[in-house]
Amino acid sequence: MTEWWKSAVIYQIYPRSFQDSNGDGVGDLKGIQSRLDDLKALGIDAIWISPIFPSPMADFGYDVADYCGIDPRFGSLEDFDALLAAAHERGIKLLLDLVPNHTSDQHPWFLESRSARDDPRRDWYIWRDPKPDGSPPNNWISDFGGSAWEWDEATGQYYYHAFLKDQPDLNWRNPAVRKAMLDVLRFWFARGIDGFRIDVLWHMVKHIDLPDNPANDEWAPGQADYTRVHQLHSTDQPEVHDIAHEMRVIADEYGARVLIGEIYLPVPKLVGYYGTVERPGVHLPFNFQLIGAAWNARSLAKMIADYEGALPVDGWPNWVLGNHDRPRIATRVGAEQARVAMMLLLTLRGTPTLYYGDEIGMADVSIPAHQVQDPRELNEPGIGMGRDPVRTPMAWDASANAGFSPADPWLPLHPDWLERNVEAQRGDPASLWRLTQKLLFLRHEHPALALGDYHPIDAGGDLLAFERRLDHDRLLVVLNLGDTPQGFAIPEWAESFTVLASARGGHDPALLSPNEGYILG
C-alpha cells in the first residue's frame, strides 16, 4: 500500500496569520478549524501548522517553553483536539512543527540548567568556560547575527545559541535530553497527529570538541553575519543521523506517520537524511531548491535531473516553492510567472508543499519600520533577511481586514487584498486559486501525476517539458518560463492528447504564449 504522504499535497499554515477567531488580531486554532472547508474545497490533503506551543514569542513560537501544551494565544489542548478531529473528518491530515534543536530560555529545563553549575540539568544545554581572555569559547556565529555564545554572569560560563540568545541549544549528546525529546514525539503521536516537520534538523548535533569554524573568505559587508564562517563544526554532524533514525523508529511505531526534516544543505548532503534501508532517517528531507533557483528552463531542467539522480533508490522526492522564511514566489518571478511556478510545483514527481497565500498569488509586503516584528530584521536591519513580509495575514474576502480578523491584524495586509482574496478568486474561472484547485483535482484524478515516473523531454528556449507516467496513465507537461512566445513540437505519442489544464487559459500547446503552461492527457 502506498504511503498517504507520497500522493499528498501539504499546505503550510503560519497560525498567527491564517484566521483570527477571537478578535485579537492574531490567528488561532479555532480560526484554522473554521477554514478547513475552504482548504477541502481547494483540494488540500494535509496541513502543517507552524509552532503553536507555549512560548514567550521572542521568535514567534520557535522558542518553546513547553513541548506538550498549546500557547493561550492560539487556544487550548481541547481546541487542538477539536481541530484535529475536524480535519480528520474531512480527510485532511495534520502535521505539527517540532523545534528540537533549542528551547526558550524560559523553559523550565533551561531555568534549572542556568540555576547552578551542579544542577542535574546543567548538561542538558551546551555550557563552556570562557577563553583565558574572557572571550567566547569559539568563533561560532548566531544565525541571527553576533556571537552564538551568551555570557551568564551568575554561573560564570557561556551557553550556546544557534539563533537568538533567548533560544539556548539543547545538548543532544546527553541521553536524558534525547529521551525527554523523543517522549514529546510519542505524546503528540498518541494524541493522533499525522506527522512532524522537524525544525533545523541539521543543526541538532555539534562537533564534540567545539572547534572554530573556518572563515569564509568570500564574505563581504552587507551579507548576513553568520556567513562570515562556514558552519562546518556547528551543523551537519554525523551523529545527527542517529537521532533522525530514532525519530523514524518512533514514527513507524504509530503506523501511517511522516517526518519531514528542515535541512538547508547541498543535495549530496541533503539526501543523506533519508538514511539507509537498514537505518532509515526522515521520510522527506525538505528540498528547497526551487526557492533559490535561477528561474530559467535550462537550469531548472538540470536541477531536477540532478536531484532525481541523487535520490536513494527508496527515497521519495519533494518540492517547495515558498515558506515562512523566504521571499514569496510571486515576488521572485512575478504574478504571471507564479502561475507557471504553481504548475511546476504540482506536476513534478514527489510530495509538494504549498505555502498559505501562494494559491492567491500573495506577494511580499513592505513592512514600515515601526511595524517590524521579526527579531532577525531587528538584529540585522537592511540586509534583506527579515521574514515579516512573507508572514502577513491571509486575505479571505473583501470585508474589513480581508475577513482575517475584526481587529487590526498583527502585521499589515498586502495592498491589493480587496481584489486578491479567496472569495474573489473562487468566483473567477481565470484566477490562480481556480488554477491551483484544478491542478489539485488532476493530482487526485490521475495516478501518473501523483505517483508516476518523471521523464524529461528535450525542449529548447524557455520551455521546460516532461512526461509523468504510471502504467497506462500518461501526461505531458510543458511550461514556458519566459516572456516571449515559444513553439513546441508535441511528441507523436501525445498528439491525440487534450488540454487538461492551462496556466493562462490557452488552447494551443504547440505555440505557448509568454508565461503559459499546459498539462495534456
Side-chain angles (χ1 to χ4, degrees), residues 3-24:
E3 296 92 337
W4 66 265
W5 44 268
K6 287 188 175 179
S7 61
V9 174
I10 299 170
Y11 184 94
Q12 183 189 354
I13 292 174
Y14 193 70
R16 296 181 68 89
S17 295
F18 199 63
Q19 179 66 64
D20 172 23
S21 73
N22 62 5
D24 65 357

Side-chain angles (χ1 to χ4, degrees), residues 134-188:
S135 63
N138 62 29
N139 70 344
W140 294 3
I141 300 173
S142 161
D143 276 22
F144 285 6
S147 173
W149 295 93
E150 181 70 11
W151 176 250
D152 181 66
E153 187 68 39
T155 59
Q157 282 189 316
Y158 285 94
Y159 68 84
Y160 177 71
H161 57 94
F163 298 93
L164 295 174
K165 65 180 178 61
D166 316 75
Q167 297 168 289
D169 278 40
L170 285 163
N171 176 19
W172 273 85
R173 294 182 181 276
N174 184 320
V177 170
R178 258 161 121 130
K179 181 182 183 303
M181 287 302 303
L182 293 175
D183 283 345
V184 171
L185 274 74
R186 294 185 177 96
F187 174 86
W188 289 106

